[in-house]
Amino acid sequence: MDFFDIVVSILGSTIRLSIPLLFTALAGLFSERAGIFDIGLEGKMLAAAFASACVAYVTGNAWLGLLGGIGVSLVFSLIHGFASITNRGNQIVSGVALNFVAAGLTIVLGQAWFGQGGRTPQLTGEGRFTPIILPFVDVVRDVPIIGPLYANVISGNNILTYLAFAAVPLSWWVLFRTRFGLRLRAVGENPGAVDTAGISVTWLRYRAVLVAGFLCGFSGAYLAIAQSAAFIKDMSAGKGYIALAALIFAKWKPVPVMFACLLFGFLDAFANFMQGKAVPGIGEVPVQIFQALPYILTCILLAGFIGIAHPPKAGGVPYTKER
């Protein structure tokens, strides 16, 4: 395998590994722009992955599995909204609690229903999303540089991959070119002014967390019935926290969020490629070092070593209407 083939292989893996991060980071974008910190992204993704795998296995239909994952993720979002918006509870505590609930409940239910140690049975056929071959792949495959990139990086992905990248400009348009987006950003900066204008702060924030739940449903479904063919215990593996780090690194803007997720995806893909490889002058490096790269970068970003990110001014602060 020559150098260019290696690059193409890593780029293809980068795209596939960045998709759950992208969906989840966009989910956090809507929630946090409205002033609701959502540490529970991890739990929503995990619960959605379990639900989508279960529904897809029972029905044999990947689209119904996706709907099942979205539905469960929306329920988790409503719980988070009820705790942090209606009851003005601590948003961090609520999110962490949801993560614990999802981690425990998926294992217990998985063992009770399928008896495979928290796993779900393997999906086949229509039960999972399969790769889509784009037009003219065979025609351009032999074209230097462009052909392999088109055939192995752009083409050959499942439908959720293309939906994830389509969600980036759509999110930008919603947030910065619609009345809903203007109000959403305003309620994250100054909810008192929004309330004075006669707009319900509570309803706006609920809509934001519901959008977050909707997108987390996609990320969970991608993990279980697109990237994999079953639910595996704790398969989210901290991706919700990494997506949160990407969101902070991107300063809560959709397009930079996409590039930040691609960066994390690249580190993950590079770690997979370097397993068992020898580094010149060093020799074979333990695979755990490469696997830790995304998490090390997460710590660096959250510690503020690469610029200071300023969240929405009302972020994490329960709103109490003045009387």
Side-chain angles (χ1 to χ4, degrees):
M1 181 180 289
D2 60 24
F3 177 75
F4 183 71
D5 291 334
I6 293 173
V7 170
V8 170
S9 177
I10 292 178
L11 287 178
S13 296
T14 297
I15 296 295
R16 291 187 288 273
L17 293 170
S18 66
I19 299 307
L21 300 178
L22 183 54
F23 274 126
T24 309
L26 291 176
L29 174 67
F30 278 93
S31 181
E32 298 199 5
R33 276 287 189 170
I36 303 297
F37 286 168
D38 201 348
I39 301 296
L41 295 172
E42 175 83 4
K44 293 175 189 176
M45 188 193 318
L46 189 62
F50 178 74
S52 61
C54 290
V55 174
Y57 173 72
V58 172
T59 64
N61 189 304
W63 290 103
L64 291 178
L66 173 62
L67 290 178
I70 292 173
V72 168
S73 184
L74 287 174
V75 170
F76 270 64
S77 287
L78 286 173
I79 295 172
H80 183 54
F82 180 74
S84 59
I85 301 173
T86 302
N87 293 300
R88 294 186 286 277
N90 187 293
Q91 298 170 12
I92 305 298
V93 172
S94 173
V96 171
L98 288 177
N99 291 340
F100 284 133
V101 169
L105 201 59
T106 53
I107 297 173
V108 171
L109 291 180
Q111 176 63 25
W113 292 347
F114 305 109
Q116 297 185 11
R119 295 170 58 100
T120 61
Q122 287 290 115
L123 298 171
T124 57
E126 298 297 322
R128 61 189 301 253
F129 291 106
T130 54
I132 297 173
I133 305 301
L134 297 180
F136 310 114
V137 167
D138 293 332
V139 175
V140 302
R141 187 184 297 274
D142 295 328
V143 177
I145 301 178
I146 297 176
L149 288 174
Y150 181 75
N152 301 310
V153 178
I154 300 175
S155 179
N157 299 297
N158 60 74
I159 185 65
L160 297 187
T161 300
Y162 302 111
L163 289 177
F165 285 104
V168 175
L170 180 61
S171 298
W172 175 86
W173 180 78
V174 169
L175 282 172
F176 296 99
R177 289 296 184 269
T178 66
R179 180 180 299 178
F180 168 71
L182 174 63
R183 291 175 174 178
L184 191 74
R185 289 182 288 122
V187 82
E189 297 291 340
N190 192 340
V194 174
D195 191 28
T196 302
I199 302 169
S200 173
V201 173
T202 298
W203 175 226
L204 263 176
R205 287 185 164 179
Y206 261 107
R207 281 189 283 175
V209 297
L210 286 174
V211 172
F214 178 77
L215 290 169
C216 278
F218 277 85
S219 64
Y222 179 87
L223 286 177
I225 62 177
Q227 187 179 54
S228 303
F231 174 83
I232 304 171
K233 174 185 173 183
D234 295 328
M235 72 184 308
S236 54
K239 288 182 175 61
Y241 302 112
I242 294 177
L244 187 62
L247 178 62
I248 296 171
F249 179 41
K251 295 180 171 58
W252 295 270
K253 296 177 182 178
V255 176
V257 160
M258 179 187 70
F259 288 113
C261 291
L262 287 172
L263 172 61
F264 280 105
F266 170 77
L267 291 177
D268 208 356
F270 183 72
N272 292 337
F273 172 75
M274 289 302 296
Q275 292 186 24
K277 301 290 194 306
V279 177
I282 299 177
E284 186 172 335
V285 179
V287 65
Q288 290 81 4
I289 292 180
F290 293 109
Q291 291 175 338
L293 287 177
Y295 305 98
I296 293 172
L297 180 59
T298 298
C299 294
I300 292 173
L301 297 180
L302 293 180
F305 289 113
I306 306 179
I308 299 175
H310 299 284
K313 294 178 181 178
V317 181
Y319 176 67
T320 303
K321 188 174 183 178
E322 298 182 2
R323 299 184 183 277

